[in-house]
Amino acid sequence: MVKKILSKKKQRYGLALSGGAALGAYQAGALKAIFEAQLDIRAVAGSSIGALNGYLAATGQISELLNFWRTIDQKKIITMESFAKFFFTGANALLSDQMQRTLVNQAVSLVSLNSSKRKYRAAAISLRTGKLHYLRGEDAQSDEELRDFVLASAAVPGVFPPIKIKDEYFIDGGLVRNTPIDALENERIDSVIAISMEPEEYADEEKINTSHLALRTVSIFFRSQANDAVERAAMSPKLRKKKIYLLRPQHTLGMQQYEFDSRKIEQLIEQGYNTTKEFIIKQRLR
């Protein structure tokens, strides 16, 4: 009698990608490792920079994602002209979203999303109602609207301009859901991998000035959001049936959120990649 060998069921995953501005380079490295491992990704939800990374992950454009991070030029992002425009002309944002918009115009289309067969969700907040929305890729009526979904989630208030979709303006959803695990509750997945850039623990500071304190406070806020998202998932009737993995760096990343230093970005990509490779092996995700 021949014994039937039962193969392990392949896990279906969803990704919940946190925001974190320039720290999204770490997330890009993590996504590279996840796709190299050929995990079965069925849905992706993102907030802020996680929505931009998330769209490229949802459509499998990992090379384009890495190229985006490796070609960021800090000198073109923040200039004396941008500061002057913001403070002296009453502009609604410090920076133009041109860098993000150029990538989005090149990479985002209904055809690329539909052909990937992955669900895409972008967290954004309505300026009119103050309510959180999960903008769903399949609801977009045109390439332009889908692009606005991505840009709306990444529209950090005061940094990038709000995005108008139909008759409402939207801003960064990370203010309310920086780690949007709950956006995946109705998806046909077995597990969620949430990727946050806030560390397990912080390094001791030799000296703390006002800027350090402000950045640490923001990090603590978003770290708490990630923890709360996992706790809410454990209490959700739908999500508690799914395994939730929280992937984050062990220690503080060596770059500030709005630093965009090309050398440090490359280090963060490598760090995210190596940490995630180890995480996949340790958690037996394949």
Side-chain angles (χ1 to χ4, degrees):
M1 179 178 178
V2 179
K3 292 184 178 180
K4 192 174 182 178
I5 300 174
L6 299 176
S7 60
K8 182 181 177 181
K9 178 185 175 183
K10 189 174 183 180
Q11 291 288 296
R12 301 167 299 177
Y13 292 97
L15 300 176
L17 306 180
S18 296
L23 304 183
Y26 174 91
Q27 199 173 75
L31 291 169
K32 177 186 176 185
I34 285 171
F35 276 78
E36 276 190 4
Q38 298 183 332
L39 300 187
D40 185 7
I41 307 300
R42 299 294 183 93
V44 184
S47 286
S48 199
I49 196 62
L52 182 58
N53 285 345
Y55 178 84
L56 294 171
T59 52
Q61 298 181 77
I62 304 305
S63 295
E64 290 80 358
L65 171 62
L66 295 170
N67 185 61
F68 166 72
W69 282 102
R70 286 170 172 153
T71 55
I72 287 177
D73 185 346
Q74 184 172 13
K75 294 178 181 178
K76 293 181 180 179
I77 297 173
I78 303 176
T79 66
M80 290 304 297
E81 182 181 355
S82 65
F83 272 106
K85 182 179 178 182
F86 180 65
F87 287 108
F88 299 115
T89 68
N92 62 8
L94 173 61
L95 307 179
S96 164
D97 63 358
Q98 190 56 47
M99 181 183 68
Q100 294 180 135
R101 189 173 288 278
T102 297
L103 172 69
V104 165
N105 287 343
Q106 293 172 347
V108 175
S109 70
L110 292 174
V111 169
S112 65
L113 183 60
N114 292 336
S115 63
S116 76
K117 298 183 180 179
R118 297 188 182 99
K119 299 297 185 181
Y120 173 70
R121 308 284 180 259
I125 299 168
S126 166
L127 274 179
R128 181 173 62 84
T129 66
K131 292 183 178 180
L132 174 73
H133 293 254
Y134 286 128
L135 305 174
R136 309 191 318 161
E138 63 265 33
D139 292 339
Q141 299 299 305
S142 64
D143 288 349
E144 184 178 359
E145 188 171 40
L146 181 58
R147 290 163 187 163
D148 284 342
F149 285 4
V150 180
L151 290 168
S153 186
V156 181
V159 179
F160 295 117
I163 300 297
K164 188 175 183 180
I165 300 174
K166 293 186 171 62
D167 61 344
E168 288 188 73
Y169 282 95
F170 288 86
I171 58 172
D172 184 356
L175 298 174
V176 177
R177 286 288 191 279
N178 198 50
T179 307
I181 296 173
D182 55 350
L184 300 170
E185 66 178 8
N186 293 318
E187 305 306 328
R188 293 182 177 180
I189 54 178
D190 305 299
S191 306
V192 175
I193 304 172
I195 306 177
S196 171
M197 284 74 80
E198 311 308 331
E200 288 289 343
E201 58 184 45
Y202 295 99
D204 293 332
E205 297 282 356
E206 292 184 4
K207 61 178 182 178
I208 299 178
N209 57 32
T210 303
S211 63
H212 281 133
L213 182 59
L215 290 168
R216 177 62 57 83
T217 300
V218 170
S219 178
I220 291 170
F221 171 69
F222 287 137
R223 183 180 183 278
S224 177
Q225 276 213 29
N227 293 341
D228 289 346
V230 174
E231 290 176 8
R232 282 195 305 273
M235 295 184 289
S236 164
K238 295 179 180 179
L239 282 170
R240 68 186 179 193
K241 298 176 183 179
K242 309 180 194 302
K243 176 73 174 177
I244 309 296
Y245 299 94
L246 179 56
L247 171 60
R248 57 170 29 141
Q250 185 66 35
H251 303 289
T252 310
L253 295 173
M255 189 172 74
Q256 303 296 349
Q257 287 197 4
Y258 291 98
E259 196 169 351
F260 294 101
D261 182 306
S262 59
R263 289 170 298 179
K264 292 182 179 180
I265 282 175
E266 190 60 46
Q267 292 171 3
L268 259 63
I269 291 173
E270 193 67 18
Q271 186 176 347
Y273 176 74
N274 290 331
T275 299
T276 305
K277 283 182 67 176
E278 294 172 2
F279 185 85
I280 289 170
I281 294 170
K282 182 178 180 181
Q283 299 293 338
R284 299 180 179 179
L285 300 187
R286 286 192 290 184

